[in-house]
Amino acid sequence: PESANALPLGSGLNTAGAHGDKDLSLKDAVKTVRWQDFLQVHMYPCVRESFLTGIGGGFGIGALRAVFGGSRREEHELEKEGRAR
């Protein structure tokens, strides 16, 4: 009996047309990035949604810290030295 986990013959072939006979490095990957990619990053739907989520989250956390008085480094250091305002 054939193994239930085996793939049918030919199903593991690379159908995209790339040949895997070359080892790629980080330098090769960096060469594929263009400046135009950074200028158009806002046009990709997933990036736009991520940016808006991050901006909204930042405003939300900032608002909570403003309302509830999040700790500030310089005030904390003044309290350590015994010179609270």
Side-chain angles (χ1 to χ4, degrees), residues 3-36:
S3 172
N5 296 326
L7 293 173
L9 188 61
S11 64
L13 296 176
N14 182 2
T15 58
H19 301 287
D21 39 326
K22 180 182 175 188
D23 288 334
L24 297 177
S25 66
L26 180 60
K27 185 177 177 181
D28 295 329
V30 171
K31 287 180 183 178
T32 65
V33 179
R34 300 172 301 170
W35 283 111
Q36 188 177 5

Side-chain angles (χ1 to χ4, degrees), residues 37-75:
D37 295 336
F38 293 106
L39 296 175
Q40 295 179 345
V41 72
H42 65 282
M43 298 173 95
Y44 302 116
C46 56
V47 175
R48 184 177 13 205
E49 187 175 325
S50 298
F51 280 165
L52 291 176
T53 301
I55 291 169
F59 275 113
I61 297 293
L64 288 174
R65 289 196 60 171
V67 169
F68 294 113
S71 65
R72 293 171 189 86
R73 176 172 283 168
E74 60 187 50
E75 288 183 14

